[in-house]
Amino acid sequence: MQGKLTVDPSNQISKIDDRVYSALIEHLGRAVYDGLYNPGNAKSDENGFRQDVVKAVKDLGIDLIRYPGGNFVSGFNWEDSVGPKEDRPTRLDLAWRSIETNQFGLHEFMKWTKQTGTRPDMAVNLGSRGIDAARNLIEYCNFPGGTYWSDLRKKNGADKPFNIKTWCLGNEMDGDWQIGHKNAEEYGRLAHETAKVMRLVDPDIDLVVSGSSTREMATFGSWEETVLDHTYDDVDYLSLHRYYGNEENDLHNFLAKSVDFDEFIGGIVAVCDAVKARKHSDKTINLALDEWNVWYHSHKQDDEATPWQQAPHLLEDHYNFEDALMVGTMLITLLKHADRVKIACLAQLVNVIAPIMTDDNGVWLQSIFFPFMQVSKYGRGVTLAPKQESATYDSKDFKDVPYLDSLAVYNQEDSEVVVFAENKGEDAMDFSTDLRDLNAKEVVEATQFYGYDIKQTNEDQTMAIQPNNDVQLDGNVLKTTLQPLSWNMFRIKVSD
Ligand code: AHR
C-alpha cells in the first residue's frame, strides 16, 4: 500500500493556537478529589496537590483548563467553594448524583493552575442560576478591590485579582439532561444578557457561548443559528462537543469517524459564517471545541453506580490501543481546522475519561496519553495544507475513507517541519512526504507507536513510543514505512 503527503510552505491553513492543547477538569468522579487533590497521600504537597499528577499534566503541555464543569457547573453555587474550608457546605451534586464537599474550590484551583503552568477557562452556571451569580463571580475574580466581592477575595487570601481571561457561558444548555435546560431562544437571550453584565465588570474577557452538545441533537444547527442571532456581537467563540465510541466493535468504522468529526467542525463553521453573512458583520466567530475524546467503555458501569458517594469511580474508561489511534486521527483533524478551531479541550484530564489515571501509589498513563503528548509538544507552528494520496476503504457508515491520515506543521522558529501520520490499514504502507520548497536538512526524530493488540490497555505501563530507524531523506522527500495500524511522527530540520 502507498501513501503520500505533499505540502508547500506557501500553502498554509493557519497558525496553531496554543489553546488547542487544553483540557477539561470537572468536579466529577475522581477527577478533582483523588486526582488533583489528595491530602494525606505521600505524593501530595502541603496543599494536597498530587505532584505526580502535576508532572504528568506538565508533560502533556496543557494550556487552558476548563473548570469546574461540564454538567456539574449547571447546579453549582460558586460561593460554596471559597472561604475557610471548615465553613464550606457539603452539597448534593445533582448532575452526577454525588456528594460535593467543596474542599477543593476556586482558590485551590487557581493555585493548582500556577503549579501546572496552565491557565483557567472558567464556566458560569446558566442552568440553576444566571446573570447575578455570573456578575458576582467575575467581580470576585477580576476586580482589583474596594467592592464587596473583590474584598472578599482579598480576605480569602488572594490580594491580586485572578484576571481570568476566558469564560464559558454555561454548559450544554441544549440538552434536557442539563440542570436548567433551555430552548435556543431562552438560552440565547440569557447568554446575551449575561455576556453584557460580565463585560461591564471586565471588558477584556473572551466569551464562549454554548453550541450543540453533539451532532445528533434534533436542534443541531438551528440551535447555533438562534443562539448566535442573540449573541453574535457579545461573544468570541462558539463551543462544540464531540465524543466517539466503538460500541459495535468495528475498528475500521471507528477510525473512520474522523470523517464525521471533520464534517461536524466544517458544518459549524458554515453556520457561524451564515449568521455572519446575514448580519452583514465584519466579525468572525471562531470555535471552542471544548470537549472531545473517546468515551464509551464506562457507560454500563456508570449506569449501575451507587449514588451519593464522595469521589466515586465514574467515567473511568480504560483506553486501549485503537482508542489511541482514534485520538491521533482526531488530533490531525482538528489541526486541519486550525484556522477556526482556536480552543480545544480534551475531556477530560485526570481519572475521568482521561489520559492520566491515579491510584494511591502513583499515576498511570493511558494509551491516549502518547499521541496527545507528541502533538501538543511538536504540533506548534503553522498547519500546512495537506495534499494527500492514499488508497481508501468503505466502512459501515463511511465511504472512501483514506487509510492514511497525515498532516505537516511548519515551526519556522525552530526551522522544523513535523509530520504526523496514521496508517489505519492492516497492511504496511510505503509512505513519502514531499516538502517541496522547504529545504530538508535532516530527520531529527522519527517515531512510531504500533504493534499492540488493538484491545490492549496500559495499566501495566508497557506501552511506549518507539524509534523508527528506517527513514530516508531523498532531497526534500522523506521516505519510510508506516507499520500496520500505527501512529507516527517525523521531525525534519529545514532551512528556508
Ligand atoms: O465530560 C463529561 C460530560 O460530557 C460533561 O460533564 C458534559 O458537558 C458532557 O456531556
Side-chain angles (χ1 to χ4, degrees), residues 200-269:
L200 286 172
V201 179
D202 183 349
D204 293 329
I205 52 174
D206 285 343
L207 286 172
V208 182
V209 74
S210 287
S212 294
S213 47
T214 135
R215 197 181 181 192
E216 285 71 36
M217 298 300 286
T219 52
F220 173 71
S222 66
W223 172 272
E224 281 76 3
E225 268 198 70
T226 307
V227 167
L228 285 178
D229 264 342
H230 287 289
T231 59
Y232 202 89
D233 295 332
D234 308 307
V235 302
D236 306 284
Y237 305 97
L238 173 74
S239 82
L240 57 164
H241 294 176
R242 201 71 179 133
Y243 296 99
Y244 292 106
N246 186 13
E247 292 85 351
E248 297 152 324
N249 195 16
D250 179 343
L251 171 69
H252 287 105
N253 199 50
F254 181 42
L255 297 181
K257 291 179 184 176
S258 62
V259 173
D260 173 273
F261 194 42
D262 184 54
E263 287 169 0
F264 175 56
I265 297 170
I268 298 287
V269 167

Side-chain angles (χ1 to χ4, degrees), residues 24 26 70-71 96 171-172 241 243 291 295 315 348 353:
L24 168 64
E26 176 166 5
N71 295 340
W96 299 106
N171 176 70
E172 292 190 351
H241 294 176
Y243 296 99
E291 288 185 31
W295 174 19
L315 280 68
Q348 300 194 10
I353 41 175

Side-chain angles (χ1 to χ4, degrees), residues 263-472:
E263 287 169 0
F264 175 56
I265 297 170
I268 298 287
V269 167
V271 174
C272 290
D273 292 350
V275 179
K276 174 180 178 165
R278 197 156 31 74
K279 284 184 175 279
H280 302 281
S281 175
D282 292 335
K283 177 179 170 183
T284 298
I285 296 286
N286 284 318
L287 305 189
L289 178 62
D290 58 20
E291 288 185 31
W292 71 270
N293 202 348
V294 171
W295 174 19
Y296 76 105
H297 296 283
S298 58
H299 285 339
K300 186 167 178 293
Q301 179 190 322
D302 292 338
D303 288 346
E304 292 163 2
T306 313
W308 315 128
Q309 300 178 72
Q310 276 181 37
H313 288 259
L314 287 179
L315 280 68
E316 296 203 9
D317 278 40
H318 284 205
Y319 291 116
N320 58 32
F321 186 65
E322 66 185 9
D323 298 328
L325 293 175
M326 186 60 202
V327 163
T329 189
M330 287 180 83
L331 280 161
I332 288 177
T333 307
L334 76 87
L335 290 188
K336 285 181 189 160
H337 291 276
D339 54 337
R340 299 303 289 271
V341 176
K342 299 298 177 186
I343 298 175
C345 302
L346 181 70
Q348 300 194 10
L349 187 56
V350 183
N351 285 338
V352 168
I353 41 175
I356 303 164
M357 300 297 285
T358 68
D359 58 31
D360 287 346
N361 305 316
V363 299
W364 63 274
L365 307 177
Q366 299 236 43
S367 61
I368 63 168
F369 184 94
F370 299 98
F372 188 95
M373 181 196 57
Q374 280 200 320
V375 180
S376 165
K377 192 160 181 190
Y378 296 111
R380 308 277 175 165
V382 170
T383 307
L384 299 179
K387 190 169 160 282
Q388 214 186 234
E389 289 158 49
S390 159
T392 59
Y393 67 92
D394 292 344
S395 71
K396 187 173 98 13
D397 299 322
F398 303 94
K399 287 229 168 328
D400 301 325
V401 182
Y403 282 106
L404 173 67
D405 195 8
S406 62
L407 184 84
V409 173
Y410 180 29
N411 183 334
Q412 207 159 0
E413 229 168 80
D414 293 350
S415 303
E416 199 169 286
V417 170
V418 184
V419 175
F420 300 105
E422 183 164 304
N423 179 2
K424 298 183 181 179
E426 262 140 327
D427 296 320
M429 181 187 286
D430 292 330
F431 174 68
S432 62
T433 302
D434 187 342
L435 296 181
R436 289 288 172 87
D437 293 342
L438 284 159
N439 271 323
K441 293 251 174 238
E442 60 170 326
V443 179
V444 185
E445 189 182 4
T447 66
Q448 50 194 350
F449 190 37
Y450 82 107
Y452 302 102
D453 186 283
I454 52 167
K455 300 297 179 192
Q456 185 175 329
T457 51
N458 197 33
E459 293 84 353
D460 61 1
Q461 296 292 274
T462 51
M463 283 185 178
I465 301 252
Q466 303 125 43
N468 175 349
N469 297 318
D470 179 25
V471 181
Q472 296 90 44

Side-chain angles (χ1 to χ4, degrees), residues 71-137:
N71 295 340
F72 171 80
V73 77
S74 298
F76 177 54
N77 296 339
W78 69 266
E79 304 86 339
D80 293 347
S81 80
V82 300
K85 285 190 177 178
E86 59 278 15
D87 296 341
R88 298 185 194 169
T90 292
R91 301 270 192 201
L92 291 182
D93 161 19
L94 300 181
W96 299 106
R97 303 197 347 130
S98 305
I99 297 295
E100 172 58 54
T101 62
N102 284 301
Q103 293 303 291
F104 184 96
L106 181 56
H107 289 251
E108 290 77 29
F109 172 63
M110 292 307 300
K111 207 178 233 178
W112 186 84
T113 58
K114 291 247 148 44
Q115 266 198 20
T116 48
T118 57
R119 300 184 294 157
D121 170 6
M122 189 66 68
V124 299
N125 174 354
L126 294 189
S128 66
R129 305 189 79 188
I131 303 170
D132 200 41
R135 71 163 176 166
N136 294 344
L137 175 58

